[in-house]
Amino acid sequence: MNDKKNLPFKFSQNDVEITAKFDLYNGFFRFVEYRFRHRLFNGGWSKEIRREVLERGNAGVILPYDPYLDKVVLVEQIRLPAIETSKTPWLLEAIAGMVEQNESLEQLVRREAKEEAGITILRCHYALSYLTSPGGTTERIYVHIGEINASAIKPGSVHGLNSENEDIRVHVVSREQAYQWVELGVIDNAATVIAIQWLQLNYLRLKNNWLNNLK
C-alpha cells in the first residue's frame, strides 16, 4: 500500500536544523560541508555534527525492453573506478545519464538511449527511485523501463559522444540471460542490478499492460 499514514518514520525534514553549509570543492564534482543537528529518538537534540557530502546531482537510468521478443539492451563501457575491485573495468550496464537543467527525467533517458545506443524508446515506464549512498552523497537514481523493437538494433554496434570520450558497445540479450548475469555477479553495478531485478519481478504485468494497450 502507498498509505503514508502507515510509514514507520518518527521524524521528518522539520526535525533537522542546518546551521551552516559551504563548498569545499566545486569542479566536475561538488563537495559541500554541512553542519547540522537533529532530534534524538530518546528526546532532545544532538550536538552539532559536521559532514562532507558529495553533491553530484540526480541521474536517470533506462533498461530498454522488447516485450514481444522478451529481450533487453545493455551497454558496455569502461568505468575506471571499477579497476580496483573488478576483473575488468568494462562493465555491462543499463543506459544512464545525469539530469541536465530544464530537462525532465523522461527526456533525459530518451536522449541517453539515442546517444549511448542509437535506440528510439517507444513507451517509457517509470519503475522506482533510490538513493545511491545516502551516507555520503545526495544523488538519487530514477529507474525506467523503455519499450523498444529489439530486432531493429544491431548487437555490437558502437555509440557515444566524442565530446564526452564515450566508447560504448551495444548488447542485445534475453531477459533471462540478463538476470542470470546478475545472479552470477557478471553484472554488479547497482543501477543495472536494480533495473534488471525490477523487470524480472514485474515483466509479466508490464508486458500485459503494453501488449493490451497497443499504440
Side-chain angles (χ1 to χ4, degrees), residues 38-142:
H38 62 86
R39 291 190 187 274
L40 299 172
F41 290 123
N42 290 329
W45 287 78
S46 70
K47 297 178 181 179
E48 186 177 70
I49 301 168
R50 297 171 63 176
R51 289 286 185 272
E52 295 81 34
V53 174
L54 172 61
E55 300 271 8
R56 192 166 182 260
N58 296 323
V61 170
I62 189 161
L63 180 64
Y65 175 60
D66 186 326
Y68 294 94
L69 299 179
D70 201 25
K71 291 184 176 182
V72 301
V73 170
L74 299 168
V75 293
E76 177 187 357
Q77 60 185 313
I78 189 169
R79 296 299 196 189
L80 186 62
I83 202 168
E84 294 292 333
T85 58
S86 300
K87 292 181 180 179
T88 172
W90 276 266
L91 303 183
L92 287 173
E93 301 178 329
I95 294 166
M98 305 302 295
V99 180
E100 296 183 356
Q101 190 173 9
N102 299 321
E103 184 177 46
S104 71
L105 288 164
E106 184 169 335
Q107 288 172 332
L108 159 69
V109 294
R110 288 181 179 276
R111 172 177 59 79
E112 289 290 345
K114 181 66 72 173
E115 292 175 1
E116 292 193 357
I119 293 174
T120 297
I121 298 296
L122 303 175
R123 284 171 287 191
C124 184
H125 178 84
Y126 169 73
L128 77 162
S129 74
Y130 67 95
L131 292 164
T132 57
S133 183
T137 179
T138 58
E139 182 183 44
R140 181 175 285 274
I141 303 289
Y142 296 85

Side-chain angles (χ1 to χ4, degrees), residues 79-207:
R79 296 299 196 189
L80 186 62
I83 202 168
E84 294 292 333
T85 58
S86 300
K87 292 181 180 179
T88 172
W90 276 266
L91 303 183
L92 287 173
E93 301 178 329
I95 294 166
M98 305 302 295
V99 180
E100 296 183 356
Q101 190 173 9
N102 299 321
E103 184 177 46
S104 71
L105 288 164
E106 184 169 335
Q107 288 172 332
L108 159 69
V109 294
R110 288 181 179 276
R111 172 177 59 79
E112 289 290 345
K114 181 66 72 173
E115 292 175 1
E116 292 193 357
I119 293 174
T120 297
I121 298 296
L122 303 175
R123 284 171 287 191
C124 184
H125 178 84
Y126 169 73
L128 77 162
S129 74
Y130 67 95
L131 292 164
T132 57
S133 183
T137 179
T138 58
E139 182 183 44
R140 181 175 285 274
I141 303 289
Y142 296 85
V143 179
H144 301 74
I145 309 297
E147 183 189 20
I148 57 163
N149 176 7
S151 62
I153 298 167
K154 182 181 178 182
S157 59
V158 178
H159 302 269
L161 298 180
N162 291 332
S163 60
E164 297 183 7
N165 298 307
E166 292 179 330
D167 182 53
I168 302 172
R169 187 162 69 122
V170 171
H171 295 259
V172 181
V173 301
S174 69
R175 172 186 48 78
E176 285 291 350
Q177 175 67 84
Y179 185 66
Q180 184 180 42
W181 281 340
V182 169
E183 291 192 310
L184 293 173
V186 175
I187 295 174
D188 61 358
N189 56 91
T192 311
V193 169
I194 290 169
I196 291 172
Q197 287 180 331
W198 188 95
L199 182 61
Q200 188 72 4
L201 290 170
N202 295 278
Y203 76 94
L204 286 176
R205 176 172 60 86
L206 186 62
K207 282 178 65 171

